[in-house]
Amino acid sequence: MKNDSLKTLAFRTLTTTARLRARKKRLVGNKVITVLNLHRVSPNNGSTYNALAPALFDELINYLKKEFHICLFADFEHIETTKPKLILSFDDGYKDFIDYAVPVLDKHKVRVNQNVIPYSVETGLPPVNVLLQDFIGKAPNELLKKIPLEIDTDGDRHEVGRKASFAIKYLPAAQFIPQREMLLDFLLNYPEFLCASAMTKKDILEISAVHEIGAHSYEHLSMENQYEAYFLEDLKRCKTYFSEELSLDCNIYAFPNGSATQEQVHQAKEQGFDHILLVGNKYSTSRSGVFNRFTFDAHTMDEAKYKSFGRRALIT
């Protein structure tokens, strides 16, 4: 409780009108772009994977509309505005985007970028580390000890979930794929402790008329730890899937977990991806086609404001 109170005070201090006004002026003057990287929008369902509450998301969108010009990767260069430019970039393609985010976005007439994972679209399953975090948040203690993964399941559930996710999501394909299958064989026996699911092809096609759809790799492996052949094949599979299965031209590639080498960024461009999305919690410019994104979640509006204005990142 003490830590929560300190956080509340800190966010309130860092979101004074004067501070945010000064940052806003510098964002406009330096012509940089803020890209916020969001994931799930849903009510609290017990998962250790943090989701943005729908009511807070609604309040956030209303606030961002007033302070920023919200745009897409496809059009931000051509927009003339006196406000700083901001792009909302969602990853993973969760079903809750349809259930909770889209109604809010429709209400405010806001368009966003959503990056989907073909493996998840085809299987209906989100990334396995997310399912694992769902399970860890909701399952009884005796089942946690049966998870086929070498982790310490004692202690705070959110910390256990974070460590479990970290233990698998950076593995090379030769290790990740069998580990994923082993975990799915276990986790799918307990659907009552899982909550995340993926958008369908129909969902994606319906929202593509409004929102900007990109690829978040084919099966959500951290690319920095993969062989070149695997990565190049992933790029081709994404292009083929979007063209043949979704009838969409995909020119956005969002690296899972922001994990990428400079060579991989170059290779993605060579394969026709014009907008390359990383993380890094830094501002971006329009010059390179490579965009750093600010990872975004929040529990209060003061926290949301603070993170919307780039935390304490330098504005250069």
Side-chain angles (χ1 to χ4, degrees):
M1 291 296 292
K2 183 178 180 181
N3 286 340
D4 288 343
S5 298
L6 290 173
K7 282 184 178 180
T8 299
L9 179 60
F11 289 135
R12 191 168 299 154
T13 302
L14 291 165
T15 53
T16 61
T17 300
R19 180 181 184 274
L20 297 187
R21 185 182 294 133
R23 288 187 72 81
K24 184 175 180 179
K25 184 177 180 180
R26 291 186 65 194
L27 289 173
V28 173
N30 291 37
K31 297 182 179 179
V32 295
I33 303 145
T34 305
V35 185
L36 301 183
N37 183 204
L38 300 90
H39 291 81
R40 289 165 76 171
V41 177
S42 76
N44 185 350
N45 47 33
S47 175
T48 65
Y49 189 99
N50 291 331
L52 199 60
L56 182 57
F57 182 67
D58 190 353
E59 189 176 359
L60 170 69
I61 297 301
N62 189 52
Y63 174 77
L64 294 178
K65 279 182 65 179
K66 295 175 182 176
E67 299 295 332
F68 296 86
H69 187 109
I70 303 175
C71 47
L72 301 175
F73 292 105
D75 62 15
F76 76 92
E77 289 184 278
H78 311 295
I79 291 170
E80 295 295 330
T81 177
T82 58
K83 295 180 179 180
K85 296 177 184 179
L86 178 140
I87 299 172
L88 295 170
S89 178
F90 284 78
D91 280 350
D92 297 347
Y94 296 107
K95 184 72 171 183
D96 58 42
F97 181 78
I98 301 295
D99 298 333
Y100 297 105
V102 166
V104 172
L105 297 170
D106 286 348
K107 169 185 168 182
H108 293 286
K109 295 182 172 57
V110 167
R111 302 170 70 197
V112 302
N113 158 241
Q114 170 66 258
N115 304 303
V116 301
I117 307 162
Y119 170 88
S120 294
V121 179
E122 290 300 309
T123 62
L125 299 173
V128 68
N129 63 298
V130 174
L131 286 179
L132 186 57
Q133 287 174 279
D134 286 352
F135 183 83
I136 288 171
K138 300 176 70 175
N141 289 332
E142 58 268 23
L143 278 181
L144 296 191
K145 298 185 184 303
K146 295 182 180 180
I147 296 172
L149 186 67
E150 291 186 12
I151 53 169
D152 181 2
T153 58
D154 295 325
D156 176 76
R157 290 282 184 116
H158 279 81
E159 185 62 17
V160 173
R162 186 190 67 80
K163 289 181 177 178
S165 175
F166 190 84
I168 59 174
K169 67 182 184 179
Y170 293 105
L171 294 175
Q175 294 174 252
F176 177 87
I177 292 173
Q179 180 68 73
R180 178 182 65 193
E181 299 313 306
M182 189 183 305
L183 284 167
L184 289 178
D185 284 344
F186 173 77
L187 294 170
L188 295 180
N189 287 316
Y190 304 99
E192 66 271 30
F193 302 128
L194 308 177
C195 42
S197 58
M199 286 192 286
T200 64
K201 288 181 187 176
K202 181 181 178 183
D203 292 330
I204 294 167
L205 291 173
E206 287 179 354
I207 65 170
S208 69
V210 176
H211 301 290
E212 188 175 53
I213 310 300
H216 193 35
S217 82
Y218 194 87
E219 53 181 345
H220 203 258
L221 273 69
S222 295
M223 293 304 171
E224 198 168 1
N225 297 323
Q226 310 310 323
Y227 287 115
E228 181 179 47
Y230 176 90
F231 175 64
L232 292 176
E233 182 63 20
D234 184 273
L235 295 174
K236 292 175 183 176
R237 292 177 80 187
C238 287
K239 280 287 187 181
T240 300
Y241 186 86
F242 270 73
S243 174
E244 296 183 0
E245 299 296 330
L246 299 174
S247 298
L248 295 174
D249 179 24
C250 178
N251 66 354
I252 298 171
Y253 189 90
F255 277 89
N257 308 309
S259 172
T261 66
Q262 286 299 317
E263 178 63 18
Q264 288 173 336
V265 169
H266 178 70
Q267 290 168 333
K269 287 184 178 181
E270 286 186 328
Q271 292 297 320
F273 292 98
D274 299 323
H275 307 299
I276 311 300
L277 313 186
L278 306 173
V279 285
N281 295 326
K282 296 187 292 186
Y283 292 103
S284 302
T285 69
S286 62
R287 291 187 291 273
S288 66
V290 180
F291 297 84
N292 298 298
R293 298 183 291 172
F294 291 93
T295 54
F296 190 93
D297 65 345
H299 294 94
T300 67
M301 197 56 207
D302 280 336
E303 182 181 5
K305 289 179 181 179
Y306 170 66
K307 292 182 176 179
S308 297
F309 274 91
R311 301 172 170 86
R312 296 184 182 180
L314 294 176
I315 304 172
T316 58

